[in-house]
């Protein structure tokens, strides 16, 4: 199975990132990158307790960045970094095929099995 992250805004607006030929991001670097983006983009915790789960953080960052960051070529380096970070951050959860949903946004991460 190929390593791939797909960010979708529903319908036909889907942006796949094939990570097969891309250097994997270390887990701690991925979490730090996501933390930085979460803060920089002004994201707020979506749970009343203030706890931010990794999947929530990934979805909040994608939503705050907006579809243009995944669609536009000018933002391609950021989008690839996002895909690498999302893949690495979710790798520790132990799943082969992870899907996280929030509102109309969907993030699919497909990783090779152990």
């Amino acid at each position: 199975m190929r390593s791939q992250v797909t960010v979708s805004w529903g319908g036909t607006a889907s942006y796949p990132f094939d990570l097969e030929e891309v250097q994997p991001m270390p887990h701690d670097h991925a979490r730090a990158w996501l933390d930085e983006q979460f803060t920089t983009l002004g994201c707020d915790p979506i749970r009343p307790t203030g706890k931010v789960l990794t999947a929530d953080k990934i979805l909040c960052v994608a939503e705050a960045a907006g579809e243009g960051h995944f669609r536009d070529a000018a933002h391609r380096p950021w989008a690839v970094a996002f895909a690498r970070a999302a893949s690495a951050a979710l790798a520790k959860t132990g799943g082969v095929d992870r899907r996280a949903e929030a509102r109309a946004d969907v993030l699919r991460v497909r990783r090779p099995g152990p």
Side-chain angles (χ1 to χ4, degrees):
M1 179 183 273
R2 300 184 64 85
S3 292
Q4 184 179 56
V5 171
T6 302
V7 180
S8 173
W9 262 261
T12 58
S14 185
Y15 307 97
F17 298 92
D18 186 358
L19 303 178
E20 194 67 23
E21 302 296 324
V22 178
Q23 179 71 24
M25 185 179 287
H27 183 262
D28 57 337
H29 187 158
R31 292 190 55 105
W33 189 91
L34 288 166
D35 287 344
E36 179 184 329
Q37 296 304 308
F38 190 86
T39 301
T40 299
L41 294 169
C43 298
D44 293 316
I46 60 174
R47 299 181 185 281
T49 61
K51 183 174 183 171
V52 181
L53 303 176
T54 300
D56 293 341
K57 187 175 290 184
I58 290 167
L59 291 169
C60 286
V61 167
E63 183 177 59
E67 184 179 354
H69 268 68
F70 299 96
R71 178 190 58 229
D72 301 340
H75 297 292
R76 182 74 180 173
W78 184 93
V80 171
F82 172 87
R84 290 176 61 220
S87 180
L90 292 174
K92 288 279 186 172
T93 62
V96 172
D97 185 359
R98 291 261 171 218
R99 177 180 171 151
E101 265 185 67
R103 297 179 266 303
D105 304 317
V106 177
L107 171 74
R108 291 186 182 92
V109 177
R110 300 202 189 304
R111 299 184 46 76

